[in-house]
Amino acid sequence: MAEIITIGEILVEIMAKDIGQKFDETGDFVGPFPSGAPAIFIDQAAKCGSNTLIISAVGNDGFGKINIDRLKTDGVDTSSIKVLETQTTGVAFVTYKDNGDRDFIFHISNAACGKINESYIKEEEFMNCNYFHIMGSAIYNKGVYNAILKGIKLSKKNGTKISFDPNVRKEIINDIEKRNLLVDILYQSHIVLAGEKELFYLTGVEDEQKSVELLINNGTEIVVIKRGSRGSTLYTKDLIELGMPYKVDEIDPTGAGDCFGGTFISCINQGVGYIEAMNLASIAGAKAVTKKGPMEGNTNLNELKKIYKEFIGVK
Ligand code: ATP
Ligand code: MG
């Protein structure tokens, strides 16, 4: 039985070969790489040793197979990924700007994973689950949102904690309806793993500490703010702790936050203390950006612990 469950998009990523390459000009791309924020998260959670499951759908094609093969190899239970005969697997194309920003073209909502709905949620899967992890990027249509709401309901019934990464994409920043759905999930979450601007976007409170206080007063147990190469900050009712940034050469930033989340939730699921979990997650996020491809830099727990020991040894 899975201790950690997530739901949402599984896709392949096709990446521009050169920085500065544009979508409206012909150029070379590399891929397919297994991807999708929930998939990257759950792959990393499995690599860190927890029992994991992802609820999703792919097409009966190579893009679906490359994902299922990778997730299976890394220990994820893939039995709740439906292989749909009449749909194709999701795809994201990505280009990189000179300033480090990325541009995406997504084929998600009209792909196989766009078919996820309430019927995908099975009560028995939630009976012994410790964490239901929700990615904001998964709110790409009403079907998935309704499935997530059903998952939240079952989580509450079974004492499963809800962890949430708002993962707000610039594509939805002006979409009030989607924002409201994310806010709804935010206030029901026990653990929030957010980027620096995301709490402001969702709570309307500009000051970070005040927005965290608002959540903690509302019942959130843990908030972690992710700050890219500047590390992270852990907040609980009783402590504020800075997560050390682990210095690396960034090759591809995609997937760092998902990898951070997978490590953090998997570690606390196994009883690791919050501060150590954050630091291991920080290293995992850093390792993630050293490889081209969103899931290619995922790292197992033994390796993370080894780096952590060496790192605190030389601090
Ligand atoms: P995304 O949604 O694009 O995957 P995110 O905004 O959710 O990213 P980031 O803050 O980019 O998450 O990354 C998560 C964590 O990974 C950071 O808090 C940090 O610990 C680590 N990390 C990310 N990028 C780097 C980097 N260039 N160098 C060192 N550590 C990094
Ligand atoms: Mg993110």
Side-chain angles (χ1 to χ4, degrees):
M1 273 298 199
E3 300 159 321
I4 303 171
I5 296 179
T6 194
I7 181 168
E9 70 277 19
I10 287 181
L11 47 95
V12 289
E13 196 155 306
I14 314 279
M15 307 158 69
K17 224 169 155 190
D18 299 318
I19 292 172
Q21 203 173 312
K22 293 183 178 149
F23 281 132
D24 58 3
E25 290 167 5
T26 303
D28 290 342
F29 285 78
V30 288
F33 291 101
S35 190
I40 301 164
F41 166 88
I42 209 73
D43 184 82
Q44 178 62 20
K47 280 195 113 159
C48 285
S50 296
N51 291 323
T52 58
L53 174 113
I54 183 166
I55 300 163
S56 189
V58 295
N60 188 7
D61 51 34
F63 289 173
K65 187 172 180 305
I66 194 175
N67 272 290
I68 291 179
D69 287 352
R70 170 65 62 87
L71 293 169
K72 258 191 195 157
T73 302
D74 289 342
V76 179
D77 179 347
T78 58
S79 61
S80 287
I81 302 173
K82 288 194 188 184
V83 179
L84 305 178
E85 293 296 332
T86 56
Q87 301 290 323
T88 54
T89 302
V91 180
F93 294 89
V94 57
T95 57
Y96 302 86
K97 296 185 185 170
D98 295 325
N99 67 1
D101 285 354
R102 290 163 286 173
D103 252 342
F104 288 94
I105 293 179
F106 290 115
H107 166 63
I108 294 180
S109 191
N110 293 319
C113 57
K115 297 290 171 193
I116 298 170
N117 60 58
E118 278 177 79
S119 73
Y120 279 57
I121 304 286
K122 297 181 216 129
E123 176 148 14
E124 63 274 17
E125 286 177 345
F126 281 77
M127 304 244 268
N128 292 303
C129 173
N130 298 333
Y131 296 93
F132 178 41
H133 185 77
I134 303 164
M135 280 287 179
S137 59
I139 318 291
Y140 44 81
N141 68 28
K142 264 279 152 52
V144 194
Y145 181 66
N146 289 335
I148 287 172
L149 288 188
K150 189 171 166 192
I152 291 177
K153 217 172 175 181
L154 290 174
S155 297
K156 288 184 174 167
K157 189 172 158 194
N158 293 300
T160 302
K161 300 219 173 192
I162 295 159
S163 56
F164 178 47
D165 178 344
N167 219 349
V168 177
R169 300 264 190 257
K170 79 172 182 341
E171 287 74 12
I172 71 147
I173 212 96
N174 294 317
D175 189 328
I176 298 294
E177 199 189 342
K178 284 213 174 107
R179 178 188 168 274
N180 290 342
L181 301 180
L182 294 174
V183 170
D184 184 35
I185 297 169
L186 177 73
Y187 287 114
Q188 302 188 66
S189 301
H190 299 90
I191 300 165
V192 175
L193 309 168
E196 277 182 308
K197 299 269 163 56
E198 288 176 339
L199 288 193
F200 173 37
Y201 172 68
L202 294 178
T203 63
V205 178
E206 193 165 5
D207 182 82
E208 181 179 297
Q209 289 216 19
K210 288 199 175 121
S211 66
V212 172
E213 255 167 47
L214 178 74
L215 292 182
I216 288 181
N217 290 336
N218 184 60
T220 307
E221 293 167 13
I222 304 170
V223 179
V224 180
I225 304 294
K226 297 173 282 179
R227 307 186 195 281
S229 60
R230 286 172 290 108
S232 50
T233 310
L234 169 80
Y235 294 91
T236 69
K237 200 160 165 286
D238 309 310
L239 68 95
I240 301 178
E241 183 78 22
L242 298 179
M244 49 189 189
Y246 178 67
K247 211 171 158 14
V248 288
D249 288 329
E250 184 174 303
I251 303 287
D252 175 15
T254 311
D258 314 327
C259 199
F260 182 101
T263 307
F264 186 79
I265 300 298
S266 192
C267 284
I268 62 171
N269 174 55
Q270 294 171 72
V272 176
Y274 297 161
I275 295 170
E276 185 173 344
M278 171 175 60
N279 285 322
L280 289 166
S282 217
I283 295 168
K287 292 284 285 179
V289 306
T290 61
K291 293 264 168 69
K292 207 171 174 80
M295 232 187 256
E296 307 311 305
N298 284 12
T299 311
N300 69 42
L301 192 57
N302 284 341
E303 175 79 2
L304 294 175
K305 281 188 168 166
K306 195 169 151 243
I307 298 170
Y308 179 53
K309 273 193 191 145
E310 285 164 8
F311 189 63
I312 50 178
V314 296
K315 214 163 57 150

